[in-house]
Amino acid sequence: MSTELVECVPNFSEGRDPAVIDSIVEAIGSAGAKILDRTSDHDHHRSVVTFAAPPESVGEAAFRGVRRAVESIDLRRHSGVHPRIGAADVVPFVPVKGVTLEDCARIARQTGQRIWEELRVPVYLYEAAALRPECRNLADIRRGRVPLPDFGDTTGHPSAGVVVVGARKFLIAFNVNLQTGDLQIARHIARAVRHSSGGLPHVKAIGVLLASRNHAQVSMNLSDFEETPLHVAFEAVRVQAARYGVTIAGTEIIGLVPEKALEMTAAWYLQVQNFVPGVILEHRLENR
C-alpha cells in the first residue's frame, strides 16, 4: 500500500442485516480502500468497518460508504442499545503513516462538506476536525448540547439523521460483559470508570443490556491506551463489579487493536520483569 496511509473507522446504525452491511463494505472498497475489519452486533444494532487508504482517496471511500448507508438505513425503524444520531453515525479519520492529525482533520472537513452538499445530511465536525470547542466531544453532540451542525440545517435528514465526521488518534473499543442481566449495575460501573464522572483518564463508558445474551455490558472507548491501558480498564471494571457480587462473563474488542496494547496487557498480567518487544519471536524474525 501507499507510504502515506489514513485509517477510517465509520460506525453504521445497522448490525442485523448482512446484505445491508455487505453493500456498505462493497461501496467503500469500490474506491480502492483496503478493508481491514468489520464487526457487527445484534443488540447494539451497529456495525464498525475499519479500512485504510492513501489520503487522496480515503475521503472518497468514506463518502461512498456514507452514501450507501443513507440509501439503505432508515432510522425511523431502528432500535438498538447503542446511542446513535445517524445512519452513518460517526466517521473518524485516523493518521497511520506519513500523515498528521491535521491532515486527517482537513480530509474530515472536506468529506463532511461533501456529505451535506451531495446527500443533504447535516454534518457535525468533532475532535481534531472541530471548528468549535463545544463540538470536540462526541458525547456532547449526541446529547443535543450542540444544536447547530457545521454543515446543513437543524432538521436532519428524514431517514438518515445526521452524521458526525472527525479526526482523532487511535481508539480502542473495549467491552466487558458482566455475569448479570442487571442493567443498573452496568450503568453504575460505567459511571465509576469513565473520565467524565471522575474515573479513568481517556475512558468513555456506558452501561447497556445485551438482551440476546442476558448480559449487562460496560461498553468503553479508550482514547489513549498508553495512558490507560486495556488491563487497567478491565481491572477497574472487575473491581467495581465485585462490589455488586458480579463476575466477568467475557470481553470484546470491536474493530482492531494495536499490537502494543496487547503486549502491555500480557506483560502486566504475566508480571514479566524483563519484557521488551524484542522478546517476541515474530518481532525478532522481522528485524533479521
Side-chain angles (χ1 to χ4, degrees), residues 8 27 31 66 106 133-134 138 140 158 183 209 237 256 269:
C8 187
V66 171
R106 174 181 49 80
E134 62 268 28
L138 176 61
D140 288 338
L183 174 59
L209 179 63
V237 172
L256 301 181
Y269 275 112

Side-chain angles (χ1 to χ4, degrees), residues 3-261:
T3 56
E4 297 181 332
L5 277 180
V6 176
E7 179 191 62
C8 187
V9 195
N11 289 218
F12 300 101
S13 297
E14 175 57 65
R16 300 171 184 171
D17 189 337
V20 171
I21 302 163
D22 287 345
S23 70
I24 292 172
V25 172
E26 180 183 352
I28 293 170
S30 70
K34 183 175 180 60
I35 307 298
L36 303 176
D37 186 72
R38 53 183 285 184
T39 304
S40 300
D41 186 273
H42 182 277
D43 294 292
H44 284 252
H45 203 352
R46 192 175 187 83
S47 293
V48 179
V49 180
T50 305
F51 68 90
E56 62 270 18
S57 62
V58 71
E60 174 66 27
F63 176 81
R64 293 187 189 186
V66 171
R67 181 172 60 193
R68 186 63 55 83
V70 171
E71 296 167 348
S72 308
I73 299 171
D74 189 340
L75 287 186
R76 293 170 295 190
R77 297 195 295 267
H78 187 282
S79 62
V81 299
H82 198 290
R84 73 275 175 191
I85 54 177
D89 192 54
V90 58
V91 182
F93 294 90
V94 183
V96 174
K97 183 169 63 173
V99 294
T100 66
L101 193 58
E102 183 50 44
D103 293 330
C104 290
R106 174 181 49 80
I107 294 168
R109 293 166 188 148
Q110 292 172 347
T111 304
Q113 182 173 5
R114 185 181 176 193
I115 288 170
W116 166 247
E117 291 176 349
E118 298 188 28
L119 304 179
R120 309 314 286 178
V121 178
V123 175
Y124 290 89
L125 298 171
Y126 85 114
E127 291 261 352
L131 299 176
R132 298 169 288 166
E134 62 268 28
C135 286
R136 292 191 67 87
N137 188 348
L138 176 61
D140 288 338
I141 298 173
R142 281 216 181 102
R143 291 171 184 147
R145 294 176 180 171
V146 188
L148 297 176
D150 292 284
F151 301 112
D153 54 40
T154 59
T155 59
H157 188 281
S159 60
V162 302
V163 60
V164 186
V165 183
R168 59 163 172 75
K169 296 180 180 179
F170 197 94
L171 175 151
I172 299 176
F174 180 52
N175 300 335
V176 180
N177 298 332
L178 307 175
Q179 202 68 262
T180 179
D182 191 328
L183 174 59
Q184 291 307 312
I185 291 178
R187 287 176 171 170
H188 288 316
I189 295 172
R191 188 178 302 114
V193 301
R194 65 178 171 239
H195 182 244
S196 64
S197 301
L200 299 170
H202 310 291
V203 172
K204 298 179 181 180
I206 59 173
V208 298
L209 179 63
L210 309 181
S212 66
R213 288 174 267 179
N214 194 32
H215 287 313
Q217 180 186 85
V218 180
S219 179
M220 294 180 285
N221 283 340
L222 279 57
S223 59
D224 190 332
F225 72 88
E226 292 184 277
E227 289 295 321
T228 301
L230 279 170
H231 58 268
V232 172
F234 174 80
E235 285 297 325
V237 172
R238 187 186 63 78
V239 168
Q240 289 294 325
R243 296 180 56 208
Y244 298 96
V246 172
T247 57
I248 304 300
T251 66
E252 302 170 346
I253 291 175
I254 307 301
L256 301 181
V257 59
E259 185 176 49
K260 184 176 181 180

